[in-house]
Amino acid sequence: MNHISHFSHAKQWEENAFKGFMELLNEADITQVQVFSDVLATAVHHSYISKKEIALQFEVDLSTVGRWVSGKSAPHKLVRPIICAYIREIAQKHVSITLNAKDMIQRELKAVNV
């Protein structure tokens, strides 16, 4: 398998993972603490957003976000949709940048291999 195929597969994987994450964001019952925690953990795990970014945006301590991610606590249920909307916005930007970068690399590899 050549470099172009690897990048094509990586891009497809990233797109599928992102679609699944967006479905999770749209359908999850974030009124439940564990579900909210799972949404945050998934976002952090896939590097759509960092705990630090969440902490800075919502003016809470990093350890507070850590407790949210672990499911030990959660912000008020009325604040959770706001946090999820912010994560959705940041994740969309992140994935757009990532996929554009992969497209650029793939074009460069094709140009070199031609």
Side-chain angles (χ1 to χ4, degrees):
M1 187 177 279
N2 63 30
H3 295 297
I4 296 169
S5 295
H6 286 295
F7 272 77
S8 180
H9 288 353
K11 181 181 175 194
Q12 186 64 44
W13 182 89
E14 182 79 24
E15 288 172 347
N16 289 338
F18 181 68
K19 285 178 189 175
F21 176 69
M22 293 308 279
E23 287 176 16
L24 173 66
L25 266 176
N26 293 332
E27 298 172 11
D29 179 9
I30 57 172
T31 61
Q32 298 179 37
V33 172
Q34 190 56 53
V35 174
F36 178 75
S37 170
D38 291 345
V39 168
L40 287 184
T42 301
V44 170
H45 174 76
H46 286 286
S47 300
Y48 297 134
I49 195 166
S50 70
K51 292 178 197 177
K52 185 176 180 179
E53 286 175 287
I54 296 168
L56 290 172
Q57 177 65 26
F58 294 97
E59 298 178 356
V60 296
D61 194 80
L62 186 58
S63 64
T64 299
V65 177
R67 287 191 298 277
W68 295 349
V69 170
S70 69
K72 293 179 182 173
S73 69
H76 190 277
K77 65 182 178 181
L78 296 177
V79 176
R80 293 177 208 162
I82 297 166
I83 294 171
C84 287
Y86 177 72
I87 291 170
R88 181 180 295 108
E89 177 186 333
I90 297 302
Q92 287 172 329
K93 288 178 184 176
H94 169 82
V95 169
S96 176
I97 291 167
T98 301
L99 294 177
N100 287 340
K102 287 180 180 174
D103 282 343
M104 288 174 40
I105 292 168
Q106 193 170 9
R107 282 193 302 272
E108 290 297 320
L109 286 171
K110 282 181 181 177
V112 170
N113 288 332
V114 174

